[in-house]
Amino acid sequence: MPELPEVEVVRQGLQGHAVGRTITDVTVLHPRPVRYHPVGPEAFREDVACRRIDDVRRRGKYLWAVLGEDALVAHLGMSGQFRFNLPGDEHVRNTRVVFHLDDDTELRFVDQRMFGGLDLRPGLAEIPVPHIALDPFDPQFDARAVAAKMRSKRTTVKRALLDQTLVSGIGNIYADEALWRSRVHYDTPTEKLGPRKAVELIRAAGDVMAEALEQGGTSFDDLYVHVNGESGYFARELSAYGQADRPCHRCGTPIVREHFMNRSSFFCPKCQPRPRRTA
């Protein structure tokens, strides 16, 4: 699933190509991406057509295009993409919605697994996703306050990092990388983290995502690409995620993979020792 760096790369691409353009028409090729529109695909088309894109913003993993006072919110889900094309270009497989723009180009929403979606939210151009916490790229993000809130929760650190109401934008990849950098095991109870270590962990998450953004994000396959179809290259820099059985970059101990919340956690058993459990 695209995480904060990948979604920010997409936002920047949309910002550069779509802002100032008018959506002249919309073609909904499959109804599922607009399933939250109250009346259906044709109403979505009527409500979005002839609207000007004033800005493209992001919070965590959510994008939205500012259409006057309204927000056209996009969540990429597992495999959502935006691609700019000319009208005559062949549709890539799994093209779901096409926005026709006034400069004779098309903005296409592509989604193989269709967990993503597009949702017009009237009157919510400023903050259409108030339930989502600030992310580490936000100027108002306070790592110390987030760390303190995390330590007050009765959970484990990786579950806390993935909690989008605590800190947004962090997914499985960058949680594992931040935990590796901080030398914290993913199953450590949050109340066992000291104040300094908790702040270090939150800041490590921001640092690793900033580095990933510089390289266009992390691409393992063609489910995540930029708006021009290019891939990101941060996968080459990963120290924990996806590195099972490879030597830890710090100590040489093989990285371990364990099941976690219907996904996987990757960690170094020497640098990130498993927490002791008290009776």
Side-chain angles (χ1 to χ4, degrees), residues 130-145:
H131 61 294
I132 300 298
L134 296 179
D135 62 64
F137 290 0
D138 193 294
Q140 298 182 20
F141 183 80
D142 186 339
R144 292 184 181 276

Side-chain angles (χ1 to χ4, degrees), residues 7-275:
V7 178
E8 175 60 17
V9 168
V10 173
R11 188 203 67 80
Q12 292 177 3
L14 294 173
Q15 181 82 14
H17 290 79
V19 171
R21 302 268 64 89
T22 295
I23 301 169
T24 58
D25 202 358
V26 181
T27 303
V28 179
L29 300 173
H30 196 290
R32 182 165 175 77
V34 297
R35 59 192 177 276
Y36 298 117
H37 201 72
V39 187
E42 185 57 31
F44 178 85
R45 171 182 174 272
E46 293 176 358
D47 289 344
V48 174
C50 302
R51 305 290 297 275
R52 184 179 186 272
I53 302 173
D54 297 320
D55 199 4
V56 181
R57 302 173 184 171
R58 180 196 52 74
R59 175 174 285 189
K61 304 176 188 179
Y62 282 85
L63 287 166
W64 68 93
V66 176
L67 309 178
E69 296 182 353
D70 303 338
L72 178 58
V73 179
H75 193 278
L76 302 181
M78 294 292 293
S79 58
Q81 305 173 13
F82 282 103
R83 306 284 288 273
F84 283 98
N85 292 92
L86 296 174
D89 293 345
E90 182 179 357
H91 284 189
V92 299
R93 189 178 180 183
N94 304 311
T95 300
R96 308 302 187 186
V97 181
V98 179
F99 298 90
H100 307 271
L101 306 180
D102 63 354
D103 62 348
D104 294 324
T105 62
E106 294 179 352
L107 174 60
R108 300 175 180 177
F109 182 67
V110 180
D111 193 359
Q112 175 181 324
R113 299 181 182 176
M114 290 201 291
F115 293 126
L118 305 167
D119 183 14
L120 184 66
R121 303 187 183 182
L124 296 176
E126 290 300 317
I127 303 293
V129 286
H131 61 294
I132 300 298
L134 296 179
D135 62 64
F137 290 0
D138 193 294
Q140 298 182 20
F141 183 80
D142 186 339
R144 292 184 181 276
V146 172
K149 188 175 180 180
M150 178 176 68
R151 292 181 65 242
S152 71
K153 288 179 170 290
R154 296 184 62 84
T155 185
T156 54
V157 288
K158 186 169 181 180
R159 289 177 183 271
L161 289 174
L162 298 179
D163 181 354
Q164 302 299 296
T165 66
L166 175 68
V167 52
S168 66
I170 304 173
N172 209 35
I173 296 173
Y174 301 114
D176 280 357
E177 292 299 301
L179 290 163
W180 181 86
R181 291 187 178 201
S182 302
R183 300 174 182 252
V184 176
H185 190 277
Y186 72 89
D187 203 34
T188 301
T190 49
E191 67 268 22
K192 297 297 184 182
L193 280 183
R196 290 185 180 179
K197 181 60 72 172
V199 173
E200 177 187 338
L201 176 59
I202 295 297
R203 288 178 173 167
D207 290 344
V208 70
M209 290 192 294
E211 293 169 21
L213 177 61
E214 292 179 357
Q215 298 196 38
T218 302
S219 299
F220 292 110
D221 51 39
D222 59 3
L223 294 185
Y224 161 68
V225 294
H226 304 189
V227 296
N228 60 5
E230 295 181 355
S231 298
Y233 296 102
F234 193 68
R236 303 171 181 174
E237 308 298 325
L238 295 175
S239 297
Y241 185 86
Q243 306 304 303
D245 300 325
R246 296 178 181 175
C248 171
H249 294 167
R250 273 193 301 255
C251 70
T253 303
I255 296 292
V256 171
R257 174 184 181 181
E258 290 185 350
H259 292 295
F260 172 80
M261 293 176 59
N262 296 320
R263 60 192 86 181
S264 296
S265 274
F266 298 85
F267 65 98
C268 172
K270 183 176 180 180
C271 297
Q272 301 165 263
R274 192 178 303 278

